Amino acid sequence: MLTSFTFNPETVSTDYDEADRLYFENINLESVLDIYQMESSSGVIISMGGQTPNNIALPLHRLNVKVLGTSPEMIDTAENRYKFSRMLDRIFVDQPEWKELTSIEEATRFCDRVTYPVLVRPSYVLSGAAMNTVYSQDDLANYLNQAVEVSRDHPVVITKYIENAKEIEMDAVAQDGTMVGHFISEHVENAGVHSGDATLILPPQDLDPETVRRIEEATRKIGNALNVTGPFNIQFIAKDNEIKVIECNVRASRSFPFVSKVMGVDLIEMATKVIMGLPVDAYPQTSIPKDYVGVKVPQFSFSRLSGADPVLGVEMASTGEVACFGRDKYEAYIKALISTGFRLPNKNILLSIGSFKDKLEMLPSIEKLYRMGYNLFATAGTADYLQEHGLPVKYLEILRNEEANQKSEYSLTQHLANNLIDLYINLPSSNRFRRPANYMSRGYQTRRMAVDYQTPLVTNVKNAKILIEAIARHFDLEILNIDYQTSHRTVVLPGLINIAAFVPGISIQGSHDLQTVTRASIAAGFSMIRIMPMGVDGSLTDARALKIAQINSRQGAYCDYNFSVSATSTNSEQVGQVTNQVGSLFIPFNHLSGNISKVAAITSHFGSWPTYKPMITDAKTTDLASVLLLASLHDRKLHVMNVTSKDDIMLIALSKEKGLKITCDVSVYCLFLSQEDYPQCSFLPTKQDQEALWEYLSVIDIFSIGSLPYQVAIEAKADVTPAVGIADTLPLLLTALYEGRLTLEDITSRLHDNPKQIFELHDQASTSVEVEVDRAYTLLPSAAWSPFAGKTMRGSVTRVMFQDKTACLDGDLLMDSAHGKDMSAHSLPPASPEAKSTASPALHPRPDSSHGRRQSLLSSRPINRIRTQLDGHQPIIGPTSAIAEDLGPPLYHPISTTSTSPSLLELLSRSPFKQRHILSVTQFSRQDLHLLFTVAQEMRLGVQRVGILDILRGRLLCTLFYEPSTRTSASFDAAMQRLGGRTLPISTAHSSTQKGESLQDTVRTLACYADCIVLRHPDPDSSRLAAKFSPVPILNGGNGSVEHPTQAFLDLFTIREELGTVTGLTITFVGDLRYGRTVHSLVKLLAHYAVTIQLVSPSVLALPSTIRASLISSGQLSAESTELTPEIVAHSDVLYCTRVQKERFEDPAVYETVKDSIVINNKVLRGAKPGCVVMHPLPRNNEVDEEVDFDGRAAYFRQVSLWALEVAWSG
């Protein structure tokens, strides 16, 4: 099972169904551990999720989580500056000088030695956060303080920044430290621009071969030193053929998809294979055109970020990316840029270039703009420079506060505001000193105006140069063959039809062969099958045999199906009784059993079988000629099945030429297997016959499967299953498509169009088959034997849509139950009075029945997938006998994970309660309570629908009670069983406690057996002590007279369920408030709500002073009394009564004086609100009279049924 874990839904927006489980959670150590334990995962792949999973690789490893791929120690080596630097020194790979900062003085000395500029960054940087280039000592102090504030737990590093150097990306895959694939791409921008904001070119166009060689050599060394198994990315900086490593990420980088698409090699697939230990072809051949370049450009959203300066730097600012292909880098670049929404200039271009170096570098490009006829505008310094070099330019300037007397023709801001500028090239000077935060330069103001007025803006000199060159080349931008690239073709076909589905046990009562065949059929892309009436040991020749087949089919079919009836020499009248229940008549001559020996014996069938019903035969040679003659004499349509010889296909071709209503099919096995492959199989065509079948392909109307694969399996002495041959069909045909022997139209017409027309089959709306074409793979052995196992195929079924649902994905069935229908009587006239059906009417559940409700629940999106069973074993689907069928649907269905609603699974996936000790209600916030109650409600509804959920299947809960308990222990036991788990009750009266065993030893022992322990103990410190020594969660079921969290949660949930809300209520606590631990916990929980609280108790049983003080400080306490007065009762929405606990009193006389001092009875309730709720945590003595039990306001027994809350958090 594959579980996907991400915090960004957008990352899986197009492929959300690739994983069996999909969690949306913040990626941190706790959440990963929760999911890892809940799913009982066999391993975790962290190399596909960016930097965040890498940060927790080592902690996961130290907690015994199996991290697949590169060792977490090696990942930490790459991430840790010291370790990585020492490794690079050891393998003689160069790197920029760097130093870890501990003080400004130390940093200053280092920067003076290496000279400015330098790069300041905190460790484990994500997207360049707090990473900056500094050019002076003042800059250093400011940046250092900023970086430390961002990441206080990690050291800060200063690195020598190399100016005017090219940055180069290396994306590679290695297996046990040996590279199996790599690609190099170059950045357009110089180093200093974050790789996420950089423009990438692949294949590289301007790299020196020596630079490439050195990069490849360094990559091999690093991959080997880190013993990488999986993907990794290295960023290099190159200048004058000298390379230095910037960083190495032992994970897939953001450029992996771009590289894979451009080069036609799926690096992620390669990485996944090496991680999982599967065979992989090292350095697969690439076949890209000669003039072919891919360019990836960033997509920015500065217009949505008010005030942001749209300048590229070391911090990532882009929000997306676009890649395009071209015949050179300029064409690809301009296509990609246009794809981001960038508008090419029509007339006016504004230039503002800060540094002299950039002016000098841009001059040739600006001259090109002038020669192309663009009107050039420039700011003061840039205008002077261009005019000095003979370029006419119009001067624009921005003055402070835009003085009123400034002429609009010279106003830069008015030109931008009036959309008079088509392109603004603004190249700011390097920020060599830190300006105050509130300082806004003129350059920033104009850049911001360009963004706000949607004027195309370029702020990088390299981007400006490549853009101008691309414009100068005047590309026509016509769509070319190189404008798209895929690793394989994906084709969507209509739902396919198998007109000859062989079911060996078709006439055997209780056979599950039909279920096996339909499961295999839907997985292979066949959404409709016509079932052959001939089995191995029997045939459908009369109403009795057909009834058996119909009963068998009602156990569940995974695709639509259509029955036929078989002709014999004597059953022409008998088949008339089932005309309305079958789709066609089959006349057998060459089947496994039940064949007709003489053509004359079937003459009566041609006269009696309805003309609107198809007739099928497998006659050959002279028998075929005779049957064709009979069909001609009766002017009947006839379909010839399983043509295998040259003579027969030529005869059929001649008959068609003469105008006979003849169609035919050929088993797919006959096109790919011959007697040369299996000499013992005389039923296969000879090599010459096979060649003739290909030659007469235009004569063949339909491709079928039939019984031929089953016969081949028997002769090959293989394990025979009913599904044999079904899964081979499409891969064989798609391989022939790849080889050029078939077209897609050949396949579609013969597996859908023609069968549908010839047999007048029903339309299957919202049904389709998605197949991959041209992708090579080796057909592996499976449960269903195949003669083609081990051979290379070039096509496969990836997805089957059936009845507007994904029925099968990559061979895995997704349907929660069998939805196929019997379509034998589709669009046929009603049966005549003489031909009455002998089938019993189907029994359906009443709309209001529980079975009906379960079926409606199962119609929702499935949670777990069902692996396609092709081994012929009996699938557990439904009733297995005629008696069960006639009695209708079963009362109970097998438990499966499909009974759990998706919403409940989603809630559980983000529960903060997993693997936590529950010792006190103070651990919970209002938000936690809301989630807890929502989960409990979902559980209740789920159990009401299906009886038992399996959320806690395989989990064991231990109940350890040192005090008597009925309700609490029983509710935990019931809840665990309702949710699929088990309980282990421990009676301390008969345990080692009687021998003096300590609580901590008992807990340690039970933790070896159970996944969670519920503890009730008279010692107030018991729960804390147990939690200290327990490796599994402890649930506090009562610690002396201090707290009872589980009961308090249940009480609060009951109040909400009974009254709809908690907010605004008046809750009166009555009875033993001193020792009532449920009261203590509930009062603390009510602090999250705006409620009014009244306290009624004898003075000796008053609420503890600390809890009372909290009520006073919160303003919730409104009344205190030693008597339950009518006024208090009248104001109460909830009367919460507790038992006076005899076991808490040291002096029995005191107990006797207060035990029955306050009693709730019908007399008391006369003055209560009609909607008041009476609650009691139970057990009770006399404090609530039994007569109150019959009052509708008494909720204490209803509360017992709300058991789900007891384990909602442990779920």
Side-chain angles (χ1 to χ4, degrees):
M1 177 181 291
L2 174 64
T3 301
S4 182
F5 182 21
T6 180
F7 63 90
N8 182 9
E10 187 59 30
T11 60
V12 291
S13 60
T14 58
D15 54 1
Y16 55 87
D17 52 0
E18 290 297 316
D20 300 284
R21 292 275 203 277
L22 184 57
Y23 292 92
F24 294 109
E25 287 286 338
N26 286 328
I27 298 178
N28 53 48
L29 183 63
E30 291 75 16
S31 57
V32 172
L33 287 173
D34 287 344
I35 294 174
Y36 182 83
Q37 294 171 3
M38 186 176 69
E39 296 287 355
S40 300
S41 303
S42 58
V44 176
I45 296 177
I46 65 173
S47 56
M48 308 294 180
Q51 182 62 39
T52 305
N54 267 20
N55 293 348
I56 61 173
L58 197 58
L60 285 172
H61 175 70
R62 290 172 177 170
L63 290 171
N64 298 317
V65 172
K66 185 177 181 180
V67 177
L68 302 177
T70 306
S71 166
E73 287 95 342
M74 292 295 100
I75 295 174
D76 185 66
T77 299
E79 298 286 352
N80 184 282
R81 283 271 158 188
Y82 276 113
K83 293 181 181 180
F84 188 58
S85 180
R86 287 195 298 265
M87 186 200 77
L88 292 180
D89 291 341
R90 188 177 71 249
I91 62 177
F92 303 104
V93 174
D94 199 8
Q95 59 183 314
E97 290 190 70
W98 67 276
K99 188 174 182 66
E100 181 179 296
L101 299 175
T102 57
S103 66
I104 295 180
E105 293 77 13
E106 186 181 37
T108 301
R109 289 194 298 269
F110 173 77
C111 293
D112 289 340
R113 182 173 63 83
V114 301
T115 70
Y116 292 96
V118 294
L119 196 66
V120 182
R121 69 174 77 191
S123 296
Y124 288 89
V125 166
L126 178 62
S127 294
M131 186 166 63
N132 285 287
T133 307
V134 299
Y135 293 85
S136 67
Q137 185 174 343
D138 292 336
D139 265 355
L140 178 64
N142 290 332
Y143 277 108
L144 180 58
N145 291 332
Q146 180 183 11
V148 171
E149 290 178 358
V150 171
S151 182
R152 295 182 180 274
D153 296 332
H154 297 286
V156 179
V157 173
I158 291 181
T159 305
K160 170 58 182 173
Y161 177 68
I162 303 174
E163 293 185 285
N164 303 320
K166 180 176 273 300
E167 189 166 337
I168 301 165
E169 296 264 353
M170 165 65 82
D171 292 296
V173 177
Q175 185 174 32
D176 298 324
T178 301
M179 290 171 60
V180 295
H182 77 269
F183 293 106
I184 299 174
S185 51
E186 62 175 322
H187 290 200
V188 169
E189 303 83 357
N190 279 340
V193 174
H194 191 279
S195 59
D197 292 346
T199 301
L200 261 62
I201 300 177
L202 181 70
Q205 303 295 296
D206 300 316
L207 294 186
D208 188 279
E210 177 61 19
T211 299
V212 173
R213 186 195 67 78
R214 293 186 180 188
I215 288 174
E216 291 174 338
E217 179 64 23
T219 303
R220 278 191 288 270
K221 289 181 178 180
I222 294 172
N224 182 65
L226 293 173
N227 196 30
V228 175
T229 294
F232 66 112
N233 166 269
I234 305 177
Q235 295 172 25
F236 292 92
I237 192 170
K239 187 175 183 180
D240 301 328
N241 277 342
E242 295 294 328
I243 67 164
K244 297 179 186 292
V245 174
I246 301 176
E247 64 179 351
C248 174
N249 299 302
V250 188
R251 55 176 172 82
S253 70
R254 63 176 53 83
S255 53
F256 258 65
F258 168 69
V259 169
S260 299
K261 188 69 72 175
V262 172
M263 303 307 295
V265 176
D266 193 340
L267 289 182
I268 291 297
E269 181 182 39
M270 292 181 65
T272 304
K273 285 183 176 180
V274 299
I275 289 173
M276 301 306 297
L278 301 175
V280 62
D281 295 330
Y283 287 97
Q285 184 178 1
T286 59
S287 56
I288 62 175
K290 181 180 179 181
D291 298 321
Y292 170 80
V293 179
V295 173
K296 177 176 74 73
V297 302
Q299 170 82 58
F300 298 97
S301 300
F302 288 119
S303 60
R304 299 183 181 181
L305 303 175
S306 178
D309 192 352
V311 176
L312 302 184
V314 291
E315 292 196 36
M316 184 173 172
S318 63
T319 55
E321 53 196 12
V322 176
C324 285
F325 308 106
R327 289 164 291 189
D328 57 33
K329 65 179 181 180
Y330 303 106
E331 183 179 48
Y333 177 78
I334 201 168
K335 287 179 179 177
L337 203 60
I338 292 173
S339 299
T340 67
F342 189 93
R343 299 191 309 275
L344 297 181
N346 294 320
K347 184 178 180 182
N348 299 332
I349 298 178
L350 172 61
L351 302 162
S352 179
I353 305 173
S355 68
F356 177 79
K357 173 183 168 296
D358 287 347
K359 289 184 176 73
L360 188 63
E361 186 175 357
M362 280 293 297
L363 183 59
S365 297
I366 297 173
E367 289 174 343
K368 285 185 180 180
L369 290 176
Y370 172 69
R371 290 195 296 269
M372 285 187 285
Y374 285 101
N375 297 330
L376 301 180
F377 297 80
T379 54
T382 306
D384 293 341
Y385 178 80
L386 296 179
Q387 288 173 351
E388 288 175 3
H389 289 80
L391 292 176
V393 60
K394 185 173 181 180
Y395 166 78
L396 294 179
E397 186 56 281
I398 178 173
L399 300 180
R400 295 186 185 277
N401 301 322
E402 279 288 352
E403 285 118 350
N405 60 355
Q406 183 185 17
K407 296 182 179 180
S408 61
E409 60 180 302
Y410 299 117
S411 172
L412 186 153
T413 56
Q414 292 192 35
H415 275 70
L416 288 175
N418 295 324
N419 292 319
L420 300 177
I421 301 299
D422 299 321
L423 172 63
Y424 184 18
I425 299 176
N426 180 292
L427 307 180
S429 301
S430 298
N431 183 17
R432 295 185 179 274
F433 57 92
R434 192 67 171 171
R435 295 190 178 95
N438 61 354
Y439 178 83
M440 293 190 298
S441 68
R442 297 184 185 182
Y444 161 76
Q445 291 175 340
T446 59
R447 289 191 295 273
R448 191 63 235 178
M449 285 188 66
V451 171
D452 294 337
Y453 288 106
Q454 299 182 355
T455 299
L457 176 68
V458 177
T459 61
N460 183 274
V461 63
K462 300 298 182 183
N463 292 145
K465 289 175 63 178
I466 192 173
L467 172 61
I468 293 172
E469 181 61 31
I471 294 173
R473 297 196 176 201
H474 301 291
F475 294 110
D476 55 20
L477 301 182
E478 292 293 327
I479 297 178
L480 308 173
N481 291 333
I482 62 172
D483 280 326
Y484 57 91
Q485 187 71 256
T486 59
S487 57
H488 53 269
R489 286 190 293 161
T490 299
V491 178
V492 179
L493 306 174
L496 305 182
I497 301 170
N498 176 17
I499 60 99
F502 178 61
V503 180
I506 185 64
S507 61
I508 299 176
Q509 185 170 344
S511 170
H512 294 276
D513 287 353
L514 189 143
Q515 283 73 51
T516 301
V517 170
T518 56
R519 287 173 68 95
S521 297
I522 197 69
F526 293 98
S527 56
M528 172 70 193
I529 61 173
R530 292 182 64 82
I531 301 173
M532 298 172 62
M534 313 295 291
V536 173
D537 298 318
S539 307
L540 305 185
T541 58
D542 53 29
R544 183 194 61 80
L546 179 62
K547 176 61 177 178
I548 292 175
Q550 291 172 337
I551 291 175
N552 290 342
S553 72
R554 291 169 191 167
Q555 297 174 24
Y558 292 85
C559 64
D560 292 342
Y561 56 95
N562 191 311
F563 284 115
S564 299
V565 67
S566 179
T568 68
S569 57
T570 59
N571 73 339
S572 60
E573 294 184 1
Q574 291 173 303
V575 297
Q577 298 178 353
V578 297
T579 300
N580 195 43
Q581 302 176 57
V582 297
S584 59
L585 175 68
F586 179 64
I587 305 173
F589 283 89
N590 294 281
H591 210 267
L592 300 177
S593 63
N595 293 316
I596 294 176
S597 57
K598 295 182 180 179
V599 175
I602 64 168
T603 304
S604 58
H605 287 288
F606 276 88
S608 61
W609 187 252
T611 57
Y612 57 85
K613 293 272 190 175
M615 297 184 73
I616 307 171
T617 185
D618 63 351
K620 301 183 184 300
T621 61
T622 56
D623 289 337
L624 176 59
S626 300
V627 173
L628 290 177
L629 177 60
L630 277 175
S632 175
L633 293 174
H634 288 83
D635 193 25
R636 294 295 302 261
K637 295 180 181 179
L638 181 68
H639 181 79
V640 182
M641 192 179 77
N642 191 26
V643 179
T644 59
S645 69
K646 179 179 180 179
D647 292 340
D648 288 349
I649 195 67
M650 292 179 65
L651 177 59
I652 292 172
L654 180 62
S655 300
K656 287 187 174 185
E657 290 179 3
K658 298 299 183 181
L660 271 68
K661 302 174 184 178
I662 304 300
T663 55
C664 71
D665 70 72
V666 171
S667 174
V668 173
Y669 264 38
C670 289
L671 297 174
F672 298 93
L673 291 179
S674 69
Q675 293 181 21
E676 287 188 6
D677 302 302
Y678 291 92
Q680 71 272 31
C681 297
S682 59
F683 45 82
L684 285 174
T686 64
K687 196 64 177 179
Q688 292 75 20
D689 289 334
Q690 188 182 71
E691 292 173 354
L693 294 177
W694 282 103
E695 181 182 353
Y696 283 85
L697 187 65
S698 60
V699 178
I700 301 172
D701 299 283
I702 298 173
F703 293 143
S704 65
I705 299 177
S707 62
L708 195 142
Y710 190 88
Q711 294 175 264
V712 173
I714 292 176
E715 294 297 329
K717 300 187 180 345
D719 292 335
V720 183
T721 69
V724 64
I726 298 175
D728 296 335
T729 303
L730 260 187
L732 288 171
L733 296 176
L734 294 174
T735 301
L737 171 65
Y738 172 80
E739 295 169 348
R741 304 167 72 185
L742 291 174
T743 66
L744 201 58
E745 176 61 27
D746 290 333
I747 298 174
T748 305
S749 62
R750 289 166 176 80
L751 286 181
H752 177 267
D753 300 345
N754 293 347
K756 184 173 180 295
Q757 179 181 0
I758 292 170
F759 292 96
E760 298 180 355
L761 300 178
H762 67 290
D763 289 322
Q764 290 188 300
S766 303
T767 300
S768 62
V769 182
E770 188 176 299
V771 297
E772 286 185 355
V773 183
D774 302 338
R775 187 172 188 173
Y777 68 97
T778 301
L779 187 64
L780 300 176
S782 63
W785 174 82
S786 171
F788 305 99
K791 296 186 177 180
T792 299
M793 296 291 178
R794 289 284 182 172
S796 62
V797 178
T798 58
R799 184 194 304 267
V800 180
M801 295 291 295
F802 183 58
Q803 298 177 357
D804 204 25
K805 294 182 180 179
T806 298
C808 186
L809 189 67
D810 294 330
D812 291 336
L813 284 184
L814 306 186
M815 293 191 301
D816 48 358
S817 62
H819 292 293
K821 300 177 181 178
D822 184 354
M823 305 301 296
S824 304
H826 165 70
S827 71
L828 298 178
S832 62
E834 293 80 10
K836 295 182 179 179
S837 171
T838 59
S840 300
L843 298 180
H844 300 285
R846 298 188 305 273
D848 59 344
S849 70
S850 61
H851 177 76
R853 291 195 298 271
R854 290 197 293 270
Q855 291 299 317
S856 65
L857 179 65
L858 293 176
S859 66
S860 62
R861 182 181 175 188
I863 301 301
N864 277 356
R865 296 174 175 181
I866 305 172
R867 172 71 59 177
T868 306
Q869 297 180 353
L870 304 179
D871 55 1
H873 290 248
Q874 175 177 332
I876 302 176
I877 298 174
T880 58
S881 67
I883 295 176
E885 168 64 26
D886 290 338
L887 288 176
L891 294 177
Y892 299 100
H893 279 241
I895 300 301
S896 70
T897 54
T898 56
S899 63
T900 305
S901 69
S903 58
L904 177 56
L905 293 177
E906 191 276 332
L907 287 168
L908 291 175
S909 70
R910 58 185 177 89
S911 170
F913 315 124
K914 296 187 185 69
Q915 298 302 315
R916 286 177 55 185
H917 299 299
I918 308 299
L919 308 181
S920 171
V921 296
T922 57
Q923 298 173 243
F924 291 77
S925 65
R926 175 79 175 267
Q927 184 178 2
D928 293 335
L929 294 174
H930 176 75
L931 176 59
L932 176 64
F933 296 155
T934 304
V935 171
Q937 186 65 21
E938 286 283 338
M939 287 181 176
R940 290 180 61 208
L941 294 176
V943 171
Q944 289 173 4
R945 291 188 182 110
V946 298
I948 296 177
L949 304 178
D950 59 356
I951 296 171
L952 298 180
R953 182 170 55 186
R955 299 290 186 177
L956 184 64
L957 177 72
C958 176
T959 54
L960 178 60
F961 284 62
Y962 287 80
E963 294 179 329
S965 172
T966 300
R967 187 207 60 78
T968 302
S969 61
S971 63
F972 271 108
D973 190 18
M976 285 296 292
Q977 294 193 46
R978 288 289 191 182
L979 298 180
R982 301 289 296 275
T983 56
L984 178 64
I986 300 298
S987 172
T988 55
H990 302 88
S991 71
S992 296
T993 302
Q994 301 301 316
K995 300 178 181 180
E997 183 178 62
S998 66
L999 173 62
Q1000 49 265 45
D1001 285 354
T1002 301
V1003 168
R1004 283 170 169 168
T1005 302
L1006 296 179
C1008 298
Y1009 309 119
D1011 299 292
C1012 184
I1013 299 174
V1014 180
L1015 174 65
R1016 171 173 290 183
H1017 198 283
D1019 185 353
D1021 198 41
S1022 58
S1023 60
R1024 185 198 61 81
L1025 182 65
K1028 180 178 179 181
F1029 291 95
S1030 174
V1032 300
I1034 295 292
L1035 302 185
N1036 183 6
N1039 56 332
S1041 60
V1042 180
E1043 276 208 53
H1044 193 337
T1046 59
Q1047 178 64 44
F1049 292 133
L1050 185 59
D1051 291 335
L1052 192 60
F1053 182 65
T1054 302
I1055 293 172
R1056 194 181 75 156
E1057 289 297 297
E1058 291 285 333
L1059 300 177
T1061 184
V1062 179
T1063 302
L1065 299 181
T1066 297
I1067 300 173
T1068 302
F1069 291 97
V1070 181
D1072 184 356
L1073 307 188
R1074 178 180 180 182
Y1075 301 113
R1077 55 194 175 196
T1078 62
V1079 174
H1080 303 164
S1081 293
L1082 182 55
V1083 166
K1084 294 175 182 178
L1085 287 180
L1086 290 173
H1088 297 295
Y1089 300 87
V1091 297
T1092 300
I1093 293 178
Q1094 302 180 123
L1095 304 177
V1096 178
S1097 69
S1099 57
V1100 296
L1101 297 179
L1103 193 69
S1105 59
T1106 55
I1107 303 177
R1108 179 178 176 275
S1110 66
L1111 287 178
I1112 295 174
S1113 63
S1114 65
Q1116 291 179 315
L1117 183 60
S1118 66
E1120 291 182 276
S1121 175
T1122 58
E1123 296 182 1
L1124 186 59
T1125 64
E1127 292 78 14
I1128 291 178
V1129 173
H1131 287 93
S1132 300
D1133 296 297
V1134 177
L1135 282 172
Y1136 188 95
C1137 189
T1138 63
R1139 174 177 64 93
V1140 178
Q1141 303 173 63
K1142 181 179 181 180
E1143 61 271 21
R1144 308 296 181 193
F1145 286 82
E1146 296 180 359
D1147 186 354
V1150 177
Y1151 167 74
E1152 293 296 330
T1153 60
V1154 298
K1155 66 174 183 178
D1156 295 327
S1157 58
I1158 302 176
V1159 176
I1160 297 177
N1161 51 31
N1162 286 344
K1163 181 179 179 180
V1164 171
L1165 292 180
R1166 289 173 188 167
K1169 296 178 181 180
C1172 178
V1173 174
V1174 180
M1175 297 178 60
H1176 195 296
L1178 301 180
R1180 66 175 173 182
N1181 290 330
N1182 299 321
E1183 59 275 4
V1184 176
D1185 197 295
E1186 290 186 359
E1187 64 184 10
V1188 177
D1189 298 349
F1190 304 98
D1191 191 308
R1193 293 170 290 188
Y1196 34 86
F1197 287 120
R1198 290 198 298 270
Q1199 181 180 13
V1200 174
S1201 66
L1202 303 179
W1203 49 263
L1205 196 65
E1206 297 292 351
V1207 291
W1209 55 83
S1210 62

